[in-house]
Amino acid sequence: AQSVTQLGSHVSVSEGALVLLRCNYSSSVPPYLFWYVQYPNQGLQLLLKYTSAATLVKGINGFEAEFKKSETSFHLTKPSAHMSDAAEYFCAVSPSNDYKLSFGAGTTVTVRA
Amino acid sequence: DTAVSQTPKYLVTQMGNDKSIKCEQNLGHDTMYWYKQDSKKFLKIMFSYNNKELIINETVPNRFSPKSPDKAHLNLHINSLELGDSAVYFCASSQRKATGELFFGEGSRLTVL
């Protein structure tokens, strides 16, 4: 079975500061890992995905994530937060041979001016 | 053109009623999903269809019945609604297995009184 754990249900950052969202996964097979963003009253949108190619993955809106097998982690970062980054962020995992995408509990990001 | 569209966007109904949510995707994808997001933002997969065939059927009360008349449509019918069914229901689609990107609709917010 596969699952993800997001550490911290809420992260507050100042505009221009580093954004760091933590995600650890558990998977019995090599995983495919994803970060999705959900803006208020909208559906989820893919930020980036890891599919066993490069361990450092770059996504949209200046976000990137690094896959670390030894730490079973896939943390999301952005060097400089913008007010528009305020949203809910979900880490998700899928085994390479399954249709089922399992989501973490989500992390709410607020950005202070 | 909206890629994944759901109707209605809002549903308010009484306990015991029956309601349906419709979903259509114009992306040419083979696989469609229903996810439930509860008040704590937790996302849980309910069903998935691939080319009109049910491939994921999670532990969901049998009051919930999905139907896929063709691969571009996936509807969700709920009988005898209960207070605990109040949630946001998201439809999604993907080109192939969940190792690909999921495209989400904007959600249907169901409130059961």
Side-chain angles (χ1 to χ4, degrees):
Chain A
Q2 65 288 337
S3 65
V4 290
T5 302
Q6 291 184 240
L7 302 174
S9 59
H10 187 239
V11 168
S12 180
V13 298
S14 298
E15 193 173 18
L18 172 72
V19 180
L20 170 60
L21 305 182
R22 300 177 188 274
C23 172
N24 287 90
Y25 70 90
S26 169
S27 179
S28 56
V29 296
Y32 284 55
L33 291 158
F34 306 80
W35 276 99
Y36 280 82
V37 61
Q38 183 180 25
Y39 298 105
N41 299 314
Q42 293 187 27
L44 280 74
Q45 176 185 358
L46 182 70
L47 271 179
L48 49 79
K49 64 181 179 184
Y50 166 77
T51 56
S52 75
T55 56
L56 183 62
V57 182
K58 293 189 184 298
I60 62 171
N61 301 339
F63 284 93
E64 64 181 36
E66 186 171 9
F67 173 73
K68 291 187 177 180
K69 186 177 179 181
S70 60
E71 298 178 8
T72 60
S73 69
F74 190 58
H75 301 333
L76 180 72
T77 59
K78 181 173 179 177
S80 177
H82 192 271
M83 297 300 286
S84 61
D85 295 326
E88 192 79 20
Y89 291 80
F90 293 93
C91 184
V93 64
S94 172
S96 56
N97 60 350
D98 194 78
Y99 287 90
K100 194 183 299 185
L101 196 63
S102 298
F103 286 88
T107 299
T108 304
V109 171
T110 57
V111 182
R112 305 185 304 272
Chain B
D1 260 356
T2 305
V4 181
S5 58
Q6 300 178 225
T7 54
K9 195 165 182 179
Y10 299 97
L11 273 165
V12 180
T13 189
Q14 300 287 331
M15 278 175 54
N17 284 349
D18 304 338
K19 288 294 176 187
S20 291
I21 306 171
K22 295 186 175 182
C23 179
E24 176 182 4
Q25 55 96 2
N26 62 6
L27 298 167
H29 289 168
D30 291 333
T31 308
M32 296 185 72
Y33 311 79
W34 279 112
Y35 277 84
K36 178 181 180 181
Q37 186 173 47
D38 63 23
S39 58
K40 294 183 179 178
K41 301 277 180 93
F42 185 70
L43 274 159
K44 186 167 189 268
I45 190 166
M46 300 173 69
F47 304 103
S48 178
Y49 273 76
N50 178 255
N51 281 325
K52 302 193 297 176
E53 178 188 353
L54 182 65
I55 55 171
I56 294 175
N57 187 355
E58 289 293 282
T59 309
V60 176
N62 58 16
R63 298 182 293 103
F64 289 78
S65 53
K67 281 192 182 159
S68 182
D70 57 61
K71 73 175 193 176
H73 295 84
L74 179 62
N75 304 324
L76 182 65
H77 187 75
I78 315 170
N79 290 325
S80 303
L81 279 156
E82 299 178 358
L83 292 177
D85 298 332
S86 295
V88 182
Y89 293 85
F90 284 99
C91 178
S93 71
S94 66
Q95 188 167 10
R96 45 194 176 94
K97 292 183 178 181
T99 50
E101 176 180 355
L102 262 65
F103 289 79
F104 283 81
E106 292 194 339
S108 297
R109 182 176 293 276
L110 171 65
T111 303
V112 182
L113 303 174

